Amino acid sequence: MTAVAPRSASSVQASKRTEVLENRPVNLDGFVEEWPEKGLVAMESDFDPQPSVRVEDGRIVELDGRTRDEFDFMDTYIADHAIDIEACESAMATPSVDIARMLVDPRATRAEVVALGRGLTPAKILDVVKLMNVVEIMMAMQKVRSRRTPANQAHSTSAKDNPIQVAADAAEAAVRGFAELETTLGVVRYAPLVAIGLQVGGQVGRGGVLTQCALEEATELDLGMRGITAYAETISIYGTESVFVDGDDTPWSKAFLASAYASRGIKMRFTSGTGSEVQMGNAEGRSMLFLEIRCILMAKGAGVQGLQNGSISCIGVPGAVPGGIRAVAAENLVASWMDLECASGNDQSFSHSAMRRTSRLVPQLFSGTDFVCSGYSGVPNKDNMFAGSNLDTEDYDDWNTIQRDMQIDGGLRHVREDVILQVRNKAARALQAVFAELDLPAITDEEVEAATYADSSDDYPDRDVLADLDGAKSVMDRGVTGLDLVKILERTGFGDVAESYLQVLRQRVSGDLLQTAAIFTPDFVPLAAINDANDYAGPGTGYRLSGERWEELKKLRHVTSAENPEEEVS
């Protein structure tokens, strides 16, 4: 009998089930093998240093296996500015497993674990969090975040850099509950007009919303100094000296920039994230999480309020390797553990799979962070100039339903259609008045109508881009400030918007926004780590969704009346 030769692997007929699986969205994602020698590994690498520290004459002379003469400038900065020298030797002597257990044990207070963390080196911190699975990371995050009350941040951008669209979407995002709003541009010269649209729209939607315009650092600082924006966060830092130098920066130059913002009462945090160094080709053979921990300690040493981390625009890199999303959750934990405000990512598209996008969100949403997203796309992703977010406007109802299902607070709420239309229309009219007073290219009634009902930039009339750019230049040349905008809003019939904007500017004088994790309530009450400190100490403690806020989150677009099943109560 003649034997039948087996088919080659490439010629095997696929089953119908395999065909179905091959067509699942998750198989459009990219996955790669680990390559530890080049840093393409999440958090388990034989090339990471072993924890060590040595102090002589009040000075750290050895850090994670390097003596001071071998330090790069990140080692030097961390050793001199980020580690509590008096506590480090005793803290480093504590077994890593004991520290990990303290992080999840309600009987160990937040204050105790934060104090212990001040004495740890990057390699020791990594040694601790490597022991924790993702549920334990979430348990620890619930305890160590700085502000008791969770919050959220949104993107409001336009593929056409249309300031009217930005204003209307900012108003909607604000009324839906976002505490911070962020924009960026395709054409940087549009920045003054778009930043004004974001600020005006945000104050229409909800008084006390804080805004920023993410640009190159000089323009971003200028807009902040003028009072057109209220905070900054896209001040990038990196975990290796070689990548830092590629950006013509050092830890000291970033710290100086941070002090410039603080000197004018402008809230500011740095940005970093796992994967940035390997993406830029200079990971120096270290794991992604080890390098991110160095960034976190550098931020702490610089004295900034906090950090936007969670891989951010590099999420595709850790998302492609085993354990990468666990490492992203761990970096959020470390930022909070180091007593920094944490804006925890979820702000970048990284997967075609709806299930996978949700699983990436779970650690931050379920445990609660200072800003669960940084940010959630308050526009359709095709209009998101940050290259798309993990969530966008199509997900609003899903997000609200998850909050209701799990009785958790992700910072948002369902809002009736008539309220949304009202704030969108008012934002467009207010910006129309500001443009007219500043002699900028007119916003027509047709544009106001479009803004009221629009979904995306496709729904707006095209503007004269060259005329807008000339107008944007004139805003900068004339030295227009936030106070000028307040005066215009007051005299053109938008006194309530003017008052809200003025309150935001006043708080810069008081310095309340410089507190860790500072936000405003709609009544302009500052909430920050200093007056809304996280007091979680196990079941029955800490922030609990209850009372008026819980009743608010029970409402969805479609909820059937218990008394009359023919009616909806939302």
Side-chain angles (χ1 to χ4, degrees), residues 227-239:
I228 294 174
T229 57
Y231 77 101
E233 76 176 0
T234 49
I235 316 302
S236 298
I237 59 174
Y238 306 98

PDB file of all heavy atoms in Angstrom, residues 227-239:
ATOM      1  N   GLY A 227      -3.062  83.138  29.862  1.00  0.00           N
ATOM      2  CA  GLY A 227      -4.331  82.769  30.476  1.00  0.00           C
ATOM      3  C   GLY A 227      -5.339  82.229  29.488  1.00  0.00           C
ATOM      4  O   GLY A 227      -6.528  82.130  29.803  1.00  0.00           O
ATOM      5  N   ILE A 228      -4.890  81.865  28.293  1.00  0.00           N
ATOM      6  CA  ILE A 228      -5.803  81.279  27.303  1.00  0.00           C
ATOM      7  C   ILE A 228      -5.986  79.788  27.593  1.00  0.00           C
ATOM      8  O   ILE A 228      -7.027  79.207  27.299  1.00  0.00           O
ATOM      9  CB  ILE A 228      -5.279  81.530  25.879  1.00  0.00           C
ATOM     10  CG1 ILE A 228      -5.320  83.034  25.577  1.00  0.00           C
ATOM     11  CG2 ILE A 228      -6.102  80.774  24.836  1.00  0.00           C
ATOM     12  CD1 ILE A 228      -4.702  83.432  24.249  1.00  0.00           C
ATOM     13  N   THR A 229      -4.984  79.164  28.205  1.00  0.00           N
ATOM     14  CA  THR A 229      -5.112  77.788  28.686  1.00  0.00           C
ATOM     15  C   THR A 229      -4.823  77.765  30.180  1.00  0.00           C
ATOM     16  O   THR A 229      -4.292  78.725  30.740  1.00  0.00           O
ATOM     17  CB  THR A 229      -4.136  76.846  27.949  1.00  0.00           C
ATOM     18  OG1 THR A 229      -2.802  77.333  28.111  1.00  0.00           O
ATOM     19  CG2 THR A 229      -4.471  76.764  26.468  1.00  0.00           C
ATOM     20  N   ALA A 230      -5.145  76.637  30.824  1.00  0.00           N
ATOM     21  CA  ALA A 230      -5.048  76.578  32.291  1.00  0.00           C
ATOM     22  C   ALA A 230      -4.058  75.540  32.795  1.00  0.00           C
ATOM     23  O   ALA A 230      -3.719  75.557  33.974  1.00  0.00           O
ATOM     24  CB  ALA A 230      -6.428  76.285  32.886  1.00  0.00           C
ATOM     25  N   TYR A 231      -3.621  74.616  31.957  1.00  0.00           N
ATOM     26  CA  TYR A 231      -2.663  73.609  32.424  1.00  0.00           C
ATOM     27  C   TYR A 231      -1.887  73.076  31.231  1.00  0.00           C
ATOM     28  O   TYR A 231      -2.198  73.369  30.066  1.00  0.00           O
ATOM     29  CB  TYR A 231      -3.350  72.476  33.177  1.00  0.00           C
ATOM     30  CG  TYR A 231      -4.066  71.434  32.326  1.00  0.00           C
ATOM     31  CD1 TYR A 231      -3.482  70.199  32.067  1.00  0.00           C
ATOM     32  CD2 TYR A 231      -5.342  71.674  31.820  1.00  0.00           C
ATOM     33  CE1 TYR A 231      -4.142  69.236  31.311  1.00  0.00           C
ATOM     34  CE2 TYR A 231      -6.004  70.722  31.059  1.00  0.00           C
ATOM     35  CZ  TYR A 231      -5.397  69.511  30.800  1.00  0.00           C
ATOM     36  OH  TYR A 231      -6.058  68.570  30.056  1.00  0.00           O
ATOM     37  N   ALA A 232      -0.861  72.297  31.523  1.00  0.00           N
ATOM     38  CA  ALA A 232      -0.051  71.659  30.482  1.00  0.00           C
ATOM     39  C   ALA A 232       0.336  70.267  30.947  1.00  0.00           C
ATOM     40  O   ALA A 232       0.493  70.023  32.139  1.00  0.00           O
ATOM     41  CB  ALA A 232       1.210  72.479  30.199  1.00  0.00           C
ATOM     42  N   GLU A 233       0.478  69.344  29.982  1.00  0.00           N
ATOM     43  CA  GLU A 233       0.911  68.000  30.359  1.00  0.00           C
ATOM     44  C   GLU A 233       1.810  67.341  29.312  1.00  0.00           C
ATOM     45  O   GLU A 233       2.431  66.315  29.596  1.00  0.00           O
ATOM     46  CB  GLU A 233      -0.291  67.085  30.650  1.00  0.00           C
ATOM     47  CG  GLU A 233      -1.021  66.592  29.427  1.00  0.00           C
ATOM     48  CD  GLU A 233      -2.151  65.622  29.732  1.00  0.00           C
ATOM     49  OE1 GLU A 233      -2.395  65.318  30.914  1.00  0.00           O
ATOM     50  OE2 GLU A 233      -2.804  65.175  28.770  1.00  0.00           O
ATOM     51  N   THR A 234       1.887  67.896  28.110  1.00  0.00           N
ATOM     52  CA  THR A 234       2.659  67.229  27.062  1.00  0.00           C
ATOM     53  C   THR A 234       4.117  67.673  27.111  1.00  0.00           C
ATOM     54  O   THR A 234       4.702  68.102  26.122  1.00  0.00           O
ATOM     55  CB  THR A 234       2.047  67.497  25.680  1.00  0.00           C
ATOM     56  OG1 THR A 234       1.815  68.903  25.527  1.00  0.00           O
ATOM     57  CG2 THR A 234       0.744  66.757  25.522  1.00  0.00           C
ATOM     58  N   ILE A 235       4.706  67.575  28.302  1.00  0.00           N
ATOM     59  CA  ILE A 235       6.114  67.885  28.522  1.00  0.00           C
ATOM     60  C   ILE A 235       6.817  66.539  28.678  1.00  0.00           C
ATOM     61  O   ILE A 235       6.855  65.962  29.761  1.00  0.00           O
ATOM     62  CB  ILE A 235       6.308  68.759  29.778  1.00  0.00           C
ATOM     63  CG1 ILE A 235       5.275  69.891  29.839  1.00  0.00           C
ATOM     64  CG2 ILE A 235       7.735  69.276  29.861  1.00  0.00           C
ATOM     65  CD1 ILE A 235       5.264  70.822  28.661  1.00  0.00           C
ATOM     66  N   SER A 236       7.363  66.024  27.589  1.00  0.00           N
ATOM     67  CA  SER A 236       7.794  64.630  27.545  1.00  0.00           C
ATOM     68  C   SER A 236       9.148  64.420  28.212  1.00  0.00           C
ATOM     69  O   SER A 236      10.072  65.220  28.041  1.00  0.00           O
ATOM     70  CB  SER A 236       7.871  64.150  26.094  1.00  0.00           C
ATOM     71  OG  SER A 236       6.595  64.205  25.479  1.00  0.00           O
ATOM     72  N   ILE A 237       9.245  63.316  28.944  1.00  0.00           N
ATOM     73  CA  ILE A 237      10.510  62.887  29.540  1.00  0.00           C
ATOM     74  C   ILE A 237      10.740  61.428  29.169  1.00  0.00           C
ATOM     75  O   ILE A 237       9.802  60.709  28.801  1.00  0.00           O
ATOM     76  CB  ILE A 237      10.528  63.075  31.073  1.00  0.00           C
ATOM     77  CG1 ILE A 237       9.393  62.293  31.745  1.00  0.00           C
ATOM     78  CG2 ILE A 237      10.425  64.559  31.429  1.00  0.00           C
ATOM     79  CD1 ILE A 237       9.448  62.320  33.268  1.00  0.00           C
ATOM     80  N   TYR A 238      12.009  60.991  29.264  1.00  0.00           N
ATOM     81  CA  TYR A 238      12.381  59.663  28.781  1.00  0.00           C
ATOM     82  C   TYR A 238      13.302  58.970  29.768  1.00  0.00           C
ATOM     83  O   TYR A 238      13.958  59.615  30.582  1.00  0.00           O
ATOM     84  CB  TYR A 238      13.056  59.769  27.413  1.00  0.00           C
ATOM     85  CG  TYR A 238      12.217  60.515  26.407  1.00  0.00           C
ATOM     86  CD1 TYR A 238      12.447  61.866  26.139  1.00  0.00           C
ATOM     87  CD2 TYR A 238      11.163  59.884  25.748  1.00  0.00           C
ATOM     88  CE1 TYR A 238      11.655  62.559  25.239  1.00  0.00           C
ATOM     89  CE2 TYR A 238      10.366  60.575  24.841  1.00  0.00           C
ATOM     90  CZ  TYR A 238      10.615  61.913  24.596  1.00  0.00           C
ATOM     91  OH  TYR A 238       9.830  62.594  23.709  1.00  0.00           O
ATOM     92  N   GLY A 239      13.391  57.642  29.643  1.00  0.00           N
ATOM     93  CA  GLY A 239      14.107  56.849  30.627  1.00  0.00           C
ATOM     94  C   GLY A 239      15.553  56.568  30.324  1.00  0.00           C
ATOM     95  O   GLY A 239      16.236  55.943  31.135  1.00  0.00           O
TER      96      GLY A 239
END
